[in-house]
Amino acid sequence: KHVTLFEPHDNTRLYESHIPEALLGFDQQTQRFRRKTLLDSTSMVMSPVDITKPDKKRFPLFKNVAPMHCTIHPGDVLYMPAFWWHEVQSTPDLTEARNMAVNYWYEPFFTKEFPCAECKLDINEHYSHLLNQ
């Protein structure tokens, strides 16, 4: 796996936006799903910038982003703190012809209201006792 990471504070330079979520319905007659409606709010964020070929005219602030790159080999673990932007390119192992990833979601140290590109990061109340000693 090849991973490109961007700091959480790069939100503006990555042009943070939200992925519209849809409510689906299933039509028994046609045996197909169809979109009922789009939700107004979503917590799923994304960047419209194609990091492999950024459009510098459309996204001029992206030139100020400093990506970090790493390669994860079989048996490696990558700890990715909350709110870090990331792009993962995965290819199967040449001998096993497989590729597997396991994600574990935890209570992050920092919190942020979603959707809110302008909101600042705050300390999660679950960890405040660590700071009040």
Side-chain angles (χ1 to χ4, degrees):
K1 295 183 186 312
H2 302 283
V3 182
T4 305
L5 296 161
F6 302 93
E7 293 186 33
H9 302 290
D10 282 332
N11 288 1
T12 302
R13 292 181 288 253
L14 288 166
Y15 297 84
E16 177 181 344
S17 58
H18 297 269
I19 300 171
E21 289 183 72
L23 289 178
L24 301 177
F26 186 72
D27 187 324
Q28 293 288 347
Q29 230 175 344
T30 62
Q31 296 290 297
R32 299 182 97 180
F33 285 97
R34 62 179 174 72
R35 185 176 73 194
K36 285 183 174 181
T37 186
L38 286 176
L39 301 176
D40 289 334
S41 177
T42 177
S43 63
M44 297 189 319
V45 295
M46 56 80 73
S47 171
V49 180
D50 177 351
I51 65 168
T52 61
K53 297 180 292 188
D55 182 335
K56 294 173 184 170
K57 287 183 181 177
R58 188 170 169 210
F59 306 111
L61 297 177
F62 185 73
K63 71 179 181 229
N64 299 317
V65 171
M68 292 174 262
H69 302 277
C70 70
T71 300
I72 303 171
H73 299 284
D76 286 351
V77 172
L78 173 66
Y79 169 77
M80 192 174 343
F83 305 113
W84 278 71
W85 292 87
H86 58 282
E87 168 74 16
V88 180
Q89 297 291 322
S90 299
T91 53
D93 179 271
L94 295 176
T95 57
E96 297 290 327
R98 293 188 177 119
N99 178 19
M100 185 172 102
V102 177
N103 293 324
Y104 175 77
W105 295 92
Y106 59 95
E107 195 66 48
F109 185 74
F110 291 109
T111 61
K112 181 181 173 184
E113 291 296 318
F114 285 105
C116 180
E118 298 82 27
C119 293
K120 67 180 181 69
L121 292 173
D122 275 326
I123 305 292
N124 187 322
E125 65 183 32
H126 288 91
Y127 300 102
S128 61
H129 67 283
L130 299 172
L131 303 172
N132 297 328
Q133 295 186 14

